[in-house]
Amino acid sequence: MDAKRNADSYSYPNGMLNSGWIVGVLRLPGEGKCFIQQTASENHMLPVEFDPRQAPLPRDLKEWDLVMAYCHFIGARENDVRIVRAKSIRFESPNLMHMDKRFAEDVMRKWSVKVHAAAKDSGVPAAIEAVAKVVGDVPAKEERMNSVDWRVLKLNKNATNTVQLAGFVQAKSLERNRVNAEGKPMNDRLVVLLRQTEDPDKSIPIRWYGRNLEPLANTLTRGLPIKVQGEYRLDVKALGAPDPESGIAPVSKLPYIEAKDFPGPVTPDSGLIKIAPFWVAEMLEMGTRKAPRREAPAQVATPAGIDSAAILADALNDINPKG
């Protein structure tokens, strides 16, 4: 209860902001792992890990009930592919009587996402029907986009799936001139590994989608401290043709964080990064023999000569948002 009253007590597991919450239907609860389903598609059920002793599921909670998970997010490698793991530090049963209108509407908007024809459709479980009764008329679906667009930033944010992170840029990869299976142009994709621990393999993969992300990519230099807000999502890709009997296609599922805002710079007095880890200096000095070993820098700061706030602002002004 003390932690619940003081968000700072659990929002900085490594001295850096790492906090999020996910609301949806509880699926496949097991020993130390469950799924939270936010859309009718079972392909997109979000995996959540937990410690059964320290953060168990409420005893009165059963599969198909509405659940809220407060999570930390950890980067990992799976078959040499970067993924994100969500670990819940507390579960709650959302009380429909205390849901505000925005929260309840966002639950319904998530569930109204169209299910792919070759994916299993869960229909409308009782917990979602209960939310619909609170909302009244189901709100019209908003046109959310897989892109960063300053005109729809508020539209792209959802009260049922929010991740807030701060850390240091470990590496980045920009994919331009992408096309889909039909050969149609797609948004650029920028993937940034956000580092919060000594182990670089635990860096958190974060994706930005948008038009002309090159100015932003050029700004996010190695070792730069940034803050990010996004969603915990799954990248689902079909692996083959649908099964002739079930009509369901096999898929691969890669958990990641999709940024729903532009990154912001972290200043020493922001409080978003509360420690000065030794490995930041090593990142900045990598490749030189004078790289300090396990010596913390005097303060959390950007690389010498870089005005991160000004550069980020200039980069964002150069980005051409999607129409």
Side-chain angles (χ1 to χ4, degrees), residues 32 49-58 70 87-91:
E49 302 173 18
F50 61 95
D51 186 327
R53 293 170 297 179
Q54 297 184 2
L57 285 162
Y70 295 87
K87 184 173 182 179
S88 176
I89 57 172
R90 187 173 81 249
F91 290 101

Side-chain angles (χ1 to χ4, degrees), residues 205-224:
I206 302 171
R207 300 183 186 183
W208 280 265
Y209 292 90
R211 293 172 58 184
N212 188 23
L213 292 180
E214 187 171 11
L216 178 59
N218 291 339
T219 301
L220 298 178
T221 55
R222 184 181 178 88
L224 185 71

Side-chain angles (χ1 to χ4, degrees), residues 33 40 47-48 54 60 67 152 161 167 177 193 198 241 250 266 269 271 276 295:
K33 187 174 182 178
V48 176
Q54 297 184 2
D60 60 343
V67 65
V152 293
N161 189 326
N177 303 316
L193 298 182
E198 180 179 355
V266 175
D269 59 349
E295 294 180 6

Side-chain angles (χ1 to χ4, degrees), residues 10 33 55 102 109 170 238 257:
Y10 58 81
K33 187 174 182 178
R102 168 67 190 277
R109 286 195 180 97
Q170 170 70 19
I257 303 299

Side-chain angles (χ1 to χ4, degrees), residues 11-278:
S11 296
Y12 297 83
N14 295 295
M16 305 180 200
L17 179 63
N18 185 322
S19 180
W21 59 89
I22 307 166
V23 180
V25 175
L26 177 65
R27 296 300 311 278
L28 307 177
E31 189 70 15
K33 187 174 182 178
C34 65
F35 293 84
I36 294 181
Q37 186 173 352
Q38 292 194 314
T39 74
S41 172
E42 296 195 5
N43 278 344
H44 290 84
M45 297 192 305
L46 300 169
V48 176
E49 302 173 18
F50 61 95
D51 186 327
R53 293 170 297 179
Q54 297 184 2
L57 285 162
R59 293 183 178 180
D60 60 343
L61 206 64
K62 60 185 184 300
E63 187 172 20
W64 296 104
D65 284 348
L66 208 61
V67 65
M68 173 181 284
Y70 295 87
C71 298
H72 292 153
F73 299 88
I74 307 163
R77 286 181 181 269
E78 188 174 273
N79 299 324
D80 209 33
V81 176
R82 297 279 189 170
I83 64 167
V84 169
R85 294 166 53 200
K87 184 173 182 179
S88 176
I89 57 172
R90 187 173 81 249
F91 290 101
E92 288 186 0
S93 301
N95 187 333
L96 297 180
M97 298 301 293
H98 294 91
M99 281 188 181
D100 61 29
K101 184 177 180 182
R102 168 67 190 277
F103 184 91
E105 287 185 350
D106 278 353
V107 170
M108 297 308 301
R109 286 195 180 97
K110 276 284 188 182
W111 202 268
S112 68
V113 173
K114 186 177 180 181
V115 176
H116 192 276
K120 187 174 181 181
D121 188 337
S122 293
V124 183
I128 297 299
E129 289 181 347
V131 177
K133 291 178 181 178
V134 173
V135 174
D137 294 333
V138 177
K141 181 181 177 183
E142 294 176 349
E143 190 61 31
R144 285 186 167 83
M145 303 178 183
N146 269 349
S147 65
V148 176
D149 185 335
W150 64 269
R151 287 171 293 181
V152 293
L153 283 179
K154 290 183 179 179
L155 209 59
N156 271 337
K157 294 174 183 176
N158 190 290
T160 67
N161 189 326
T162 297
V163 179
Q164 301 177 88
L165 302 166
F168 297 86
V169 175
Q170 170 70 19
K172 62 187 176 184
S173 173
L174 175 63
E175 299 174 64
R176 303 192 63 191
N177 303 316
R178 300 192 311 140
V179 295
N180 62 15
E182 289 76 36
K184 295 182 179 180
M186 299 172 64
N187 282 322
D188 291 354
R189 177 168 61 192
L190 173 62
V191 181
V192 171
L193 298 182
L194 189 71
R195 186 170 170 182
Q196 293 189 325
T197 68
E198 180 179 355
D199 185 356
D201 283 345
K202 293 183 179 179
S203 297
I204 303 168
I206 302 171
R207 300 183 186 183
W208 280 265
Y209 292 90
R211 293 172 58 184
N212 188 23
L213 292 180
E214 187 171 11
L216 178 59
N218 291 339
T219 301
L220 298 178
T221 55
R222 184 181 178 88
L224 185 71
I226 60 172
K227 58 182 178 181
V228 178
Q229 178 164 302
E231 284 191 16
Y232 177 46
R233 303 191 68 174
L234 286 184
D235 185 353
V236 179
K237 295 287 190 298
L239 297 176
D243 179 84
E245 293 186 7
S246 68
I248 306 300
V251 296
S252 65
K253 303 175 185 179
L254 298 177
Y256 69 98
I257 303 299
E258 180 175 328
K260 289 298 180 182
D261 210 338
F262 292 115
V266 175
T267 57
D269 59 349
S270 68
L272 297 174
I273 296 179
K274 300 179 178 294
I275 63 173
F278 70 89

